[in-house]
Amino acid sequence: MHSQTPIGIFGLGEVCSNDLSLIMAKLDDKSIELVDSTDRTKRLKHDTALLYDTSRLTLESQRTHITNIDGKRLKVAKRARFKTFLGGKIDVFYSHWPSRLTMEESNPKRAQLGIALRGAIDSTMTADGYYILMGDYNDDPSSPSLAYYLRATRDRTLATKRDRTPYNPFWRKLGESIHHEDSTGDNSVCGTCFYSGGDYSQWHTFDQVIFSSAFLGNGQMTLEERYTDVMASDELKLRIKRERFDHFPVLSCISLRSKKT
């Protein structure tokens, strides 16, 4: 992983500890450490994890964010705080929100998840304000939970004017990935999640990486938006239509630079 795919943080969802043990054994890379956030021993199941590159990042702390709605506990996010090799701090909030099959988009509990995530950010944000939100939200960028209650905007100018407004580059991934005239019919995708039984679309952009406005400035860490993408390889395109495999992985990139003296 380290030599062939230089990824600093790799998020995983719908995994258990046994899965993670197999993944770590297969990687066999001493520079990669695991943040195992899974827990299937309680009623509220946790199924997310992170892998990170220890040559670039040091894990400083972890925290679980839960919200209680009418006596029901819901997973908001896991948070991992890292220190970069240049000394900066960055919070990573990684989430797996309830499926639309059990909680539809209009359910007010989804709005509460967005509010709770916003509160978790505000209560733990570092002085420099660098945080990343990532995961399978089972909501699109335009869904109220993310667009209104979390306030994750498509508008970079607005995000730079408001410190508490994160920027969501995955608004760009709501439509077809290839123009009609350039498509062969099966090489374009229009989201990250495929469900053949969808009423108005078979596709949704449920998997996203969202950035605090600090990444849009001239500080130590900057969003390299050209690399934000849905990893829809030919092999995965075939599998997503033929097997019980319904999510593409997604990718985003930031650059780090030394502080000016």
Side-chain angles (χ1 to χ4, degrees):
M1 176 177 174
H2 182 259
S3 59
Q4 296 180 359
T5 309
I7 294 175
I9 301 174
F10 193 92
L12 294 164
E14 297 189 21
V15 291
C16 63
S17 291
N18 288 341
D19 296 330
L20 298 173
S21 295
L22 291 172
I23 290 170
M24 293 299 290
K26 185 69 173 178
L27 287 174
D28 190 24
D29 190 333
K30 296 187 184 304
S31 68
I32 302 300
E33 287 287 343
L34 170 68
V35 181
D36 185 350
S37 303
T38 63
D39 186 354
R40 295 178 180 268
T41 64
K42 302 174 183 176
R43 185 172 182 179
L44 191 63
K45 309 298 182 185
H46 295 272
D47 61 357
T48 56
L50 294 179
L51 304 177
Y52 67 97
D53 184 350
T54 58
S55 69
R56 307 178 192 189
L57 300 164
T58 301
L59 179 65
E60 290 203 334
S61 64
Q62 302 177 59
R63 182 173 174 180
T64 300
H65 293 276
I66 302 291
T67 189
N68 193 309
I69 305 174
D70 296 331
K72 183 176 181 180
R73 299 169 76 238
L74 294 175
K75 299 174 291 184
V76 177
K78 295 281 188 174
R79 178 187 63 79
R81 175 165 293 173
F82 294 98
K83 182 178 180 179
T84 74
F85 68 97
L86 291 176
K89 303 289 182 72
I90 180 171
D91 283 332
V92 179
F93 294 83
Y94 49 111
S95 303
H96 184 193
W97 285 2
S99 166
R100 290 277 187 90
L101 298 176
T102 59
M103 187 185 292
E104 60 186 13
E105 183 180 20
S106 60
N107 191 313
K109 291 178 181 177
R110 302 196 81 89
Q112 183 59 37
L113 284 168
I115 293 170
L117 182 53
R118 179 69 258 171
I121 295 166
D122 291 343
S123 65
T124 61
M125 189 163 57
T126 64
D128 290 337
Y130 288 108
Y131 63 83
I132 295 174
L133 315 174
M134 58 190 291
D136 174 9
Y137 297 99
N138 278 301
D139 271 339
D140 285 302
S142 56
S143 298
S145 63
L146 297 176
Y148 303 142
Y149 296 100
L150 177 64
R151 296 197 294 276
T153 184
R154 77 187 90 182
D155 185 337
R156 283 194 302 265
T157 301
L158 185 63
T160 57
K161 290 180 179 179
R162 300 177 181 175
D163 292 343
R164 297 178 68 248
T165 298
Y167 174 60
N168 188 352
F170 279 84
W171 278 90
R172 292 176 176 271
K173 305 301 179 181
L174 285 170
E176 294 280 359
S177 59
I178 299 175
H179 294 296
H180 169 66
E181 62 272 23
D182 298 328
S183 176
T184 61
D186 59 0
N187 62 337
S188 182
V189 300
C190 51
T192 67
C193 176
F194 179 78
Y195 174 55
S196 61
D199 288 334
Y200 63 91
S201 176
Q202 297 181 107
W203 291 94
H204 288 282
T205 304
F206 286 164
D207 310 275
Q208 301 157 55
V209 187
I210 303 169
F211 296 86
S212 64
S213 60
F215 286 98
L216 303 179
N218 295 315
Q220 192 179 66
M221 291 178 267
T222 306
L223 172 64
E224 296 283 350
E225 191 173 2
R226 67 175 68 88
Y227 299 111
T228 294
D229 207 357
V230 180
M231 306 304 287
S233 66
D234 290 340
E235 177 187 357
L236 292 182
K237 287 177 186 177
L238 289 174
R239 290 186 61 189
I240 208 166
K241 298 286 183 69
R242 297 177 181 178
E243 304 177 22
R244 292 183 60 82
F245 172 92
D246 55 1
H247 287 263
F248 287 125
V250 296
L251 175 71
S252 284
C253 179
I254 60 173
S255 62
L256 280 73
R257 55 191 173 195
S258 299
K259 293 180 179 179
K260 294 180 180 180
T261 58

